[in-house]
Amino acid sequence: MGVPSDGLDRPSGGPDRREAILIRVIPYGALAVSTLLVLLADAKTPAQVWTTLGLAVTAAGWMLIVALPGTSAPGPRLGGVYYAGLLVLFALLILRSPLFGLFGWTGYPQVTYLRGRWKQVGVVATALIVSVTYIGGFQSLGAATVPVYLILAAATGAVGMLFTFLELRQRATLDRLAEANAALEAALEENAGLHAQLLTQAREAGVLDERQRMAREIHDTLAQGFTGIVAQLEAARQNPGEWRRHADQAQALARDNLAEARRSVEALRPPHLDEARLPEAISGLSERWSRTSGISVGVETTGEPRPMLPDVEVALFRVAQEALTNIAKHAGASRVGLTLSYLDDVVLLDVRDDGVGFDPAADGRGFGLTSMRQRLLRVAGRLEIESSPGEGTAINATVPALTVGANP
């Protein structure tokens, strides 16, 4: 049997540790001191000495029921039996000598072995036994001393009741704290589960985003290159006299496409941006596209060009590339103009053509336009389209002017 527990797990050195010292160690110390005092002051015969030692040893042995290391707290019934036996020993020892009243005081902290209202009963019984020492022991009880004894017992019992009440309030507070801790742990476990779900969803969203990004890259590079090759081969079939020129262009496109495919495996930044700044890269792209498509292109740069973050430059380059591809496939244009504008806080790319145009509300959700929008959204940009049938098309891409070294 061990120190009674209130069901709380407290850290070492906390209330449980102090309580263990109080109700396990102090009673033995008080018993030893009381026994020594009695032997020195109130043991005049061998019989008194042996009676004193016998009762002290019996009390020490009885307390081993709850004091042995590693024992658990006694249940309500065993705790009641233990405390009842302790009261009997208090009475016998004090009957032997009032000096054992010092040991009798240890009954107050040991009422913790009792449950419920039995604690108050234990306090009253202990007060009745201990208070007799104030009048000289049981031998001094008489008509003259009983009133004094009762007053002392009432006062002592009241003090004991007060401490018991405070102890019960403390334990009630600890119980509420334990419940709050349990609720908090449950909430933390629930939050951990939600966090795990969010991580799973984030991973799934990341996978989906990566798939979409790869789809855009394939569309912006390999698919467009193959489209150009097919166009050159069809042109060679329709114009046998110029088949060599078209074949050479198809071969050049195939080589560029092969190089683009290899580069895409290593990194998805366009090689043109590795070799030149964005304005030069767009100019080179436009010149190559013009030679392939036969459509006149004008490129203009306004403002002071400055290096942007790689993702921003890639987004604008891919928008220009996609816009030119759409013009070649659908616009039927004779002239195209590209304007790259560097402003204080944004960079603008305008692509205009004089082609057949279209209705953006009815036909503005093709994969090419969707790819451009998604790519710009990744860098906090936006895409605007102005077009109508027979009026040509204007595509405007706006991105934040995030320069190299800036925090996006």
Side-chain angles (χ1 to χ4, degrees), residues 171-185:
R171 288 189 178 275
T173 301
L174 294 175
D175 288 341
R176 288 194 296 272
L177 290 175
E179 293 176 359
N181 288 338
L184 179 60
E185 290 178 0

Side-chain angles (χ1 to χ4, degrees), residues 83 87 90 107-108 111 114 117-132 149-150 152-162 164:
Y83 199 81
L87 291 175
F90 287 158
Y108 291 115
V111 295
L114 302 176
R117 295 189 177 276
W118 285 105
K119 290 179 182 291
Q120 286 82 0
V121 175
V123 169
V124 172
T126 302
L128 291 173
I129 295 174
V130 172
S131 297
V132 79
Y149 163 71
L150 293 177
L152 292 172
T156 304
V159 173
M161 286 290 187
L162 176 61
T164 302

Side-chain angles (χ1 to χ4, degrees), residues 150-232:
L150 293 177
I151 293 173
L152 292 172
T156 304
V159 173
M161 286 290 187
L162 176 61
F163 283 108
T164 302
F165 173 74
L166 294 177
E167 187 262 345
L168 290 175
R169 286 191 59 182
Q170 180 186 24
R171 288 189 178 275
T173 301
L174 294 175
D175 288 341
R176 288 194 296 272
L177 290 175
E179 293 176 359
N181 288 338
L184 179 60
E185 290 178 0
L188 290 176
E189 291 179 0
E190 183 179 359
N191 287 341
L194 293 175
H195 181 64
Q197 292 179 6
L198 289 176
L199 288 178
T200 301
Q201 293 174 359
R203 284 194 292 267
E204 293 175 352
V207 171
L208 178 60
D209 184 67
E210 183 66 14
R211 289 175 178 172
Q212 293 176 344
R213 185 175 66 85
M214 290 299 297
R216 289 193 298 269
E217 292 296 334
I218 292 174
H219 178 271
D220 293 342
T221 56
L222 302 181
Q224 293 178 9
F226 286 129
T227 299
I229 293 172
V230 171
Q232 293 301 320

Side-chain angles (χ1 to χ4, degrees), residues 6-20 174 177 181:
D6 53 9
L8 297 178
D9 293 329
R10 300 189 181 91
S12 178
D16 278 351
R17 184 179 180 86
R18 291 194 297 270
E19 182 179 280
L174 294 175
L177 290 175
N181 288 338

Side-chain angles (χ1 to χ4, degrees), residues 168-314:
L168 290 175
R169 286 191 59 182
Q170 180 186 24
R171 288 189 178 275
T173 301
L174 294 175
D175 288 341
R176 288 194 296 272
L177 290 175
E179 293 176 359
N181 288 338
L184 179 60
E185 290 178 0
L188 290 176
E189 291 179 0
E190 183 179 359
N191 287 341
L194 293 175
H195 181 64
Q197 292 179 6
L198 289 176
L199 288 178
T200 301
Q201 293 174 359
R203 284 194 292 267
E204 293 175 352
V207 171
L208 178 60
D209 184 67
E210 183 66 14
R211 289 175 178 172
Q212 293 176 344
R213 185 175 66 85
M214 290 299 297
R216 289 193 298 269
E217 292 296 334
I218 292 174
H219 178 271
D220 293 342
T221 56
L222 302 181
Q224 293 178 9
F226 286 129
T227 299
I229 293 172
V230 171
Q232 293 301 320
L233 293 177
E234 289 179 349
R237 179 180 296 176
Q238 295 173 2
N239 301 289
E242 298 184 4
W243 71 270
R244 182 173 293 278
R245 179 175 67 85
H246 293 298
D248 290 342
Q249 291 181 352
Q251 185 180 37
L253 287 172
R255 287 175 177 171
D256 288 343
N257 227 34
L258 179 60
E260 188 75 16
R262 289 172 176 171
R263 184 205 59 80
S264 296
V265 174
E266 300 175 356
L268 293 176
R269 179 176 171 85
H272 312 291
L273 290 176
D274 293 332
E275 302 167 358
R277 295 194 302 174
L278 181 61
E280 290 79 6
I282 289 181
S283 295
L285 169 69
S286 301
E287 291 174 3
R288 292 189 298 273
W289 180 84
S290 179
R291 288 196 303 268
T292 302
S293 64
I295 302 174
S296 175
V297 179
V299 180
E300 180 183 4
T301 301
T302 64
E304 183 180 354
R306 51 194 184 276
M308 297 289 111
L309 290 179
D311 288 348
V312 172
E313 293 192 342
V314 169

Side-chain angles (χ1 to χ4, degrees), residues 23-111:
I23 66 175
R24 288 190 178 187
V25 178
I26 290 181
Y28 281 97
L31 177 61
V33 172
S34 298
T35 303
L36 180 61
L37 290 175
V38 172
L39 291 175
L40 292 176
D42 197 15
K44 300 180 175 58
T45 65
Q48 291 177 331
V49 171
W50 287 111
T51 300
T52 300
L53 292 176
L55 289 172
V57 171
T58 302
W62 184 257
M63 288 190 296
L64 286 177
I65 294 176
V66 295
L68 286 175
T71 55
S72 58
R77 181 173 299 179
L78 182 58
V81 171
Y82 166 77
Y83 199 81
L86 196 63
L87 291 175
V88 172
L89 288 169
F90 287 158
L92 292 175
L93 287 166
I94 292 174
L95 181 61
R96 168 63 190 88
S97 173
L99 293 176
F100 276 110
L102 177 63
F103 174 56
W105 267 93
T106 64
Y108 291 115
Q110 295 191 73
V111 295

